[in-house]
Amino acid sequence: MMIGISKVDITPPIGIRMDGYTKRSSASTDILDKLFAKSVSMQMRDEVVTVTSLDLLGVNPYWQESVNALGSVVLTATHTHSGPMICNKMLNWGIECNDVERNYVEMVKSGIRRSINNAVHNQFSINNISVGRIGIGDICSDRDNPGKNIDVYA
């Protein structure tokens, strides 16, 4: 089995509107953490599958369409409510997108493709894969039900 990994920076420029809450309309004023497109590519015999996770609220269908020719690719997102607006009628709650947001969609598309290509072309051989479970503590909460028990394992 062959496996490859990659991480490409998809941090938006300061000034892009933020997403995650319908009443949020302000633009970013700073960058606290960089955002990434992270890919893992797995190959067994002639079959290659790549999973790419985006540090964003959701996946723009345009991005999925743009990687279909690259093979078996799954795009997913961390669903962060502290990220940039994703310009797409399905994901921006009917707000008209501006040039910064449209340019960001193209930047992310390019970053996704680079991350996938890097993971596929930088594979290395492994003998086995293990699965584990670890506690992650108080990393998440339910703001509507503060006392609610949330799965604390990854």
Side-chain angles (χ1 to χ4, degrees):
M1 176 177 225
M2 302 288 285
I3 192 163
I5 56 175
S6 177
K7 180 168 91 169
V8 172
D9 189 338
I10 57 168
T11 305
I14 292 173
I16 196 167
R17 285 185 289 183
M18 302 297 289
D19 212 346
Y21 303 99
T22 56
K23 294 183 180 180
R24 178 185 282 166
S25 61
S26 60
S28 64
T29 58
D30 199 0
I31 296 172
L32 179 61
D33 295 306
K34 289 186 175 194
L35 304 179
F36 294 96
K38 296 172 238 170
S39 298
V40 60
S41 177
M42 298 156 280
Q43 179 174 353
M44 192 160 215
R45 295 179 207 68
D46 294 334
E47 291 291 321
V48 179
V49 175
T50 305
V51 178
T52 300
S53 177
L54 309 172
D55 291 339
L56 299 171
L57 180 65
V59 175
N60 187 320
Y62 169 68
W63 298 329
Q64 183 66 55
E65 292 167 12
S66 77
V67 299
N68 285 341
L70 298 178
S72 298
V73 176
V74 176
L75 291 182
T76 187
T78 59
H79 197 79
T80 179
H81 279 242
S82 299
M85 179 168 286
I86 303 165
C87 188
N88 179 281
K89 289 181 181 178
M90 288 175 52
L91 301 172
N92 70 359
W93 315 111
I95 299 168
E96 188 171 330
C97 298
N98 62 36
D99 287 340
V100 173
E101 293 147 3
R102 281 189 286 275
N103 290 338
Y104 183 62
V105 166
E106 294 302 320
M107 185 189 111
V108 172
K109 174 185 151 185
S110 174
I112 292 168
R113 292 179 67 87
R114 279 195 330 271
S115 184
I116 292 167
N117 285 325
N118 290 347
V120 169
H121 291 100
N122 294 307
Q123 292 182 339
F124 53 91
S125 180
I126 61 169
N127 293 325
N128 58 42
I129 295 177
S130 299
V131 176
R133 182 177 169 167
I134 187 168
I136 53 175
D138 296 326
I139 197 167
C140 58
S141 64
D142 182 339
R143 68 177 174 269
D144 295 325
N145 300 297
K148 183 178 177 183
N149 186 16
I150 295 177
D151 187 3
V152 294
Y153 293 96

